């Protein structure tokens, strides 16, 4: 007798938010209705994200946007598709338009591209999420700028070359589609949102702790 495997329960975004454990030390995201536990960030991942946040905050102050453009500790992005939800590594929010976010104050949910200046994802072992799912959904939402920071060269060769090289992609929304520009080595990162940012790709890669 053959046993049939039970189909996993598929969640809508609202069901996912309702399910999400309060004060959870574990991060979860929703992919096509399936709740996925995110891998615990490595020390290198955390070091790099912290370094980028510091550099972005310095640039925000230099641009006269302090308290206008902010980086929250946590947020959940709701794409247009109802069965996905992501928690970015870094998100820069625009406080001038955040009032349009009806779920922000109580649920930390962002639904509108007008609230977002930049999203950064630091690539982990589940690299396909950043290069495929999130790129597609952030593009579909109209997020103006999205960075893929692949410091460990984990992505596919068609993205980062053969042999693989640590790469930062700045994805700029142009006519509804992302234009992906790679930055490596001593290339200065060119950001349409942060034109005053003085940072090379190698400086970002060097921010990770080494033994």
């Amino acid at each position: 007798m053959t046993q049939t495997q039970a189909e996993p329960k598929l969640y809508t975004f609202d069901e996912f938010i309702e399910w999400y454990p309060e004060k959870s030390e574990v991060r979860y995201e929703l992919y096509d209705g399936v709740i996925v536990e995110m891998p615990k960030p490595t020390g290198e991942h955390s070091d790099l994200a912290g370094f980028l946040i510091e550099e972005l905050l310095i640039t925000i102050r230099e641009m006269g946007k302090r308290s206008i453009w902010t980086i929250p500790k946590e947020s959940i992005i709701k794409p247009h598709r109802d069965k996905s939800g992501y928690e970015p590594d870094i998100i820069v929010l625009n406080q001038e338009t955040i009032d349009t976010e009806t779920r922000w104050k109580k649920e930390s949910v962002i639904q509108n591209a007008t609230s977002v200046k930049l999203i950064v994802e630091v690539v982990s072992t589940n690299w396909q999420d950043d290069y495929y799912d999130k790129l597609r959904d952030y593009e579909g939402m109209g997020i103006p700028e999205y960075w893929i920071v692949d410091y460990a060269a984990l992505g596919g060769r068609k993205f980062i070359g053969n042999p693989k090289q640590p790469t930062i992609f700045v994805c700029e929304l142009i006519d509804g589609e992302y234009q992906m520009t790679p930055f490596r080595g001593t290339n200065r990162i060119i950001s349409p949102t942060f034109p005053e940012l003085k940072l090379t790709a190698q400086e970002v890669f060097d921010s990770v702790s080494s033994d």
Side-chain angles (χ1 to χ4, degrees):
M1 182 175 175
T2 309
Q3 279 192 322
T4 57
Q5 192 76 19
E7 289 292 325
K9 172 176 169 55
L10 298 182
Y11 291 77
T12 65
F13 181 85
D14 288 343
E15 289 170 337
F16 167 61
I17 295 299
E18 187 176 343
W19 168 90
Y20 207 109
E22 193 173 347
K23 298 181 181 177
S24 172
E25 295 184 3
V26 179
R27 290 175 56 199
Y28 298 92
E29 293 186 334
L30 185 68
Y31 289 85
D32 296 319
V34 178
I35 295 173
V36 178
E37 180 179 329
M38 292 293 99
K40 183 174 176 57
T42 64
E44 289 185 342
H45 185 290
S46 298
D47 284 344
L48 190 148
F51 172 79
L52 271 179
I53 289 171
E54 183 179 1
E55 291 295 320
L56 288 169
L57 287 173
I58 289 170
T59 307
I60 286 170
R61 286 196 294 271
E62 290 176 347
M63 294 174 65
K65 297 290 187 179
R66 186 176 184 178
S67 300
I68 301 173
W69 294 0
T70 59
I71 301 177
K73 183 180 177 182
E74 297 173 354
S75 66
I76 297 178
I77 297 289
K78 181 184 185 301
H80 291 163
R81 296 181 309 120
D82 187 47
K83 288 187 169 59
S84 292
Y86 310 125
E87 185 172 343
D89 287 311
I90 303 171
I91 186 169
V92 179
L93 295 179
N94 184 3
Q95 294 299 321
E96 292 178 319
T97 55
I98 201 73
D99 287 345
T100 64
E101 299 291 351
T102 57
R103 306 178 66 167
W104 172 247
K105 288 186 178 180
K106 292 186 177 180
E107 298 174 308
S108 300
V109 171
I110 295 294
Q111 304 176 87
N112 304 314
T114 53
S115 305
V116 181
K117 303 305 295 184
L118 170 68
I119 287 178
V120 179
E121 297 287 4
V122 180
V123 177
S124 301
T125 51
N126 50 334
W127 63 268
Q128 293 92 339
D129 297 345
D130 301 320
Y131 280 96
Y132 291 105
D133 297 279
K134 294 179 181 180
L135 186 141
R136 171 198 61 198
D137 285 337
Y138 294 158
E139 181 182 74
M141 289 178 70
I143 303 296
E145 187 172 345
Y146 167 44
W147 291 12
I148 302 172
V149 180
D150 197 346
Y151 73 97
L154 296 172
R157 289 180 175 84
K158 70 178 180 179
F159 295 107
I160 60 175
N162 188 13
K164 294 183 177 184
Q165 302 177 65
T167 305
I168 296 173
F169 286 97
V170 173
C171 307
E172 180 184 4
L173 195 70
I174 298 175
D175 295 330
E177 296 183 10
Y178 276 142
Q179 171 98 37
M180 298 177 68
T181 304
F183 296 91
R184 303 182 178 101
T186 57
N187 293 152
R188 178 172 169 247
I189 300 167
I190 305 300
S191 164
T193 305
F194 293 92
E196 298 177 20
L197 184 69
K198 300 176 181 67
L199 199 60
T200 68
Q202 194 60 49
E203 286 174 323
V204 176
F205 303 146
D206 288 345
S207 69
V208 300
S209 57
S210 57
D211 296 328

